[in-house]
């Protein structure tokens, strides 16, 4: 038995959320519906412009771990925060949510804790402006073999490849996990991230046990249409998961394939939809469910999180799984 059912490694980012309309986004030069990296000065400008802001621990993988904690799995997070007010808030909130934050906040230095200013439009679309701060300094020295090696499943964040040290941390964690008999996989993060690291990601697809991406990310990875991209991915990867917003989820493992329809609902806030899909899917993967059931679990978790503000579940996901007939 492993100490941790799922260990995640990724950017530790405080999410700061505010509602805004399209005219505000245009005025501030914010590109709607995508994640943009910003420098510290721009981040401070946007933070100051936010009305009625709320803050909560975020970062893609950390949000997924929060969903898995909601489902009762033992989890840990490998990330990096500064020993400042936001960093201490982040570490404390992760622990209270049931995820072990294994690295203590870092004292000294100039880089503050990372934060993402998220503007939510009336249609539920979110526009994310992320200042990476100290999380971009995550390196192999932050990866404990005792943690990664004790993971039954390791979940990696593609954004880490944006910095050489992050890539080294990512690869160190994957090696330790697989050396210990665990399974390691990645979320492709976004099409722009895929474009930046296409060659590296194509190699990772061949090496890791599972890969999660949406339609645009898979098409960007193989630079072709979705059908051809998934056909190539299926020959490269152990387990391929593809989400298509408002359509279906396709899961392929060897000769086995499952297509799970998605019930389209109007989102209150789309923040965290992919993160919580990953939580539901990984819960199924960790507990030995079929591809179809794992995909359906992902869809249920994603539907819950887009029904309210914030990137983490508020309802008990297991109760929703029971209601959907996915668990007894």
């Amino acid at each position: 038995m492993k100490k941790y059912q799922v260990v995640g490694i990724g950017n530790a980012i405080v999410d700061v959320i505010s509602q805004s309309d399209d005219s505000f986004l245009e005025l501030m030069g914010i590109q709607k519906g995508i994640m943009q990296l910003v420098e510290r000065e721009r981040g401070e400008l946007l933070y100051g412009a936010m009305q009625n802001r709320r803050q909560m621990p975020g970062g893609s993988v950390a949000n997924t771990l929060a969903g898995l904690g909601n489902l009762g799995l033992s989890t840990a997070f490998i990330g990096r925060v500064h020993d400042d007010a936001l960093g201490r808030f982040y570490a404390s909130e992760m622990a209270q949510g049931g995820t072990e934050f294994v690295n203590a906040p870092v004292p000294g230095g100039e880089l503050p804790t990372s934060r993402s200013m998220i503007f939510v439009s009336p249609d539920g679309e979110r526009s994310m402006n992320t200042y990476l701060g100290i999380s971009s300094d995550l390196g192999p020295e932050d990866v404990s073999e005792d943690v990664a090696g004790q993971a039954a499943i390791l979940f990696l964040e593609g954004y880490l490849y944006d910095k050489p040290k992050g890539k080294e941390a990512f690869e160190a964690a994957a090696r330790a996990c697989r050396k210990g008999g665990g399974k390691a996989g990645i979320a492709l993060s976004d099409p722009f991230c895929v474009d930046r690291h296409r060659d590296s990601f194509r190699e990772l697809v061949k090496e890791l046990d599972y890969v999660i991406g949406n339609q645009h990310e898979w098409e960007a990875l193989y630079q072709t249409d979705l059908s051809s991209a998934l056909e190539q991915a299926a020959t490269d990867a152990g387990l391929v998961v593809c989400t298509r917003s408002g359509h279906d989820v396709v899961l392929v493992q060897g000769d086995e394939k499952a297509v799970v329809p998605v019930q389209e609902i109007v989102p209150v806030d789309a923040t965290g939809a992919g993160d919580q899909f990953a939580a539901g899917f990984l819960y199924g993967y960790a507990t030995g469910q079929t591809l179809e059931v794992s995909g359906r679990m992902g869809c249920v978790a994603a539907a819950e999180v887009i029904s309210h503000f914030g990137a983490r579940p508020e309802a008990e996901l297991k109760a929703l799984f029971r209601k959907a007939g996915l668990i007894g």
Side-chain angles (χ1 to χ4, degrees):
M1 291 290 293
K2 296 290 187 181
K3 182 177 180 180
Y4 305 108
Q5 288 164 290
V6 182
V7 170
I9 176 170
N11 288 308
I13 299 171
V14 176
D15 284 343
V16 186
I17 301 175
S18 175
Q19 292 175 267
S20 63
D21 57 24
D22 290 353
S23 62
F24 174 85
L25 299 182
E26 186 176 348
L27 176 68
M28 299 300 293
I30 297 169
Q31 191 170 348
K32 184 177 178 178
I34 69 165
M35 194 286 287
Q36 301 178 85
L37 294 177
V38 299
E39 296 301 322
R40 185 171 183 171
E41 184 177 346
R42 170 121 174 112
E44 291 173 351
L45 172 69
L46 293 176
Y47 183 82
M50 302 182 89
Q51 300 290 323
N52 301 315
R53 54 184 178 243
R54 298 168 53 197
Q55 70 180 37
M56 57 197 69
S60 180
V61 165
N63 289 337
T64 296
L65 292 174
L68 291 167
N70 177 290
L71 285 160
L73 297 195
S74 58
T75 59
F77 180 57
I78 299 169
R80 189 174 177 88
V81 297
H82 186 62
D83 188 15
D84 54 17
L86 282 181
R88 292 188 291 273
F89 163 80
Y90 191 98
S92 172
E93 288 291 307
M94 289 293 289
Q96 287 185 29
T99 293
E100 186 177 342
F101 191 78
V102 298
N103 298 325
V106 179
E110 295 183 0
L111 291 175
T113 295
S114 309
R115 70 286 311 266
S116 181
M117 280 60 69
I118 302 172
F119 297 90
V120 182
S121 307
D123 60 2
E125 194 64 75
R126 82 273 191 257
S127 307
M128 305 172 68
N129 301 266
T130 303
Y131 168 61
L132 285 178
I134 198 172
S135 68
S136 63
D137 269 359
L138 184 75
E141 67 276 9
D142 297 305
V143 177
S144 166
E145 286 205 21
D146 291 339
V147 175
Q150 280 295 317
I153 295 173
L154 182 71
F155 186 43
L156 307 162
E157 182 176 305
Y159 287 128
L160 283 185
Y161 261 61
D162 281 333
K163 289 291 183 74
K165 285 181 66 177
K167 179 178 178 179
E168 292 170 20
F170 184 117
E171 293 172 345
R175 282 195 303 271
C177 172
R178 301 189 80 183
K179 182 180 177 182
K183 295 180 178 180
I186 185 176
L188 294 175
S189 293
D190 76 32
F192 304 105
C193 185
V194 172
D195 287 340
R196 292 192 296 269
H197 308 292
R198 183 174 291 108
D199 291 343
S200 293
F201 282 1
R202 283 189 180 180
E203 289 304 312
L204 277 174
V205 167
K206 297 175 183 177
E207 296 170 7
L208 297 178
D209 297 289
Y210 65 93
V211 182
I212 303 172
N214 64 31
Q215 175 179 351
H216 306 298
E217 291 156 4
W218 284 113
E219 289 175 342
L221 185 64
Y222 290 105
Q223 297 178 288
T224 186
D225 63 273
L226 182 62
S227 178
S228 300
L230 291 184
E231 184 177 337
Q232 180 63 49
T235 62
D236 287 348
L239 170 57
V240 173
V241 182
C242 175
T243 60
R244 296 200 305 153
S245 179
H247 295 280
D248 54 33
V249 177
V250 180
L251 305 97
V252 184
Q253 187 170 33
D255 294 331
E256 186 181 357
K257 180 178 180 179
V259 179
V260 178
V262 172
Q263 181 179 355
E264 191 168 4
I265 62 175
V266 177
V268 173
D269 173 13
T271 308
D275 303 338
Q276 294 313 319
F277 172 84
F281 163 75
L282 287 173
Y283 177 81
Y285 188 53
T287 57
Q289 306 298 325
T290 65
L291 292 185
E292 180 182 358
V293 169
S294 297
R296 288 178 63 194
M297 287 176 165
C299 292
V300 169
E304 190 283 335
V305 81
I306 66 174
S307 69
H308 57 77
F309 286 101
R312 300 186 173 197
E314 293 180 351
E316 183 191 349
L317 293 179
K318 273 190 178 178
L320 298 180
F321 289 173
R322 290 190 194 97
K323 186 177 180 180
L326 300 175
I327 58 175

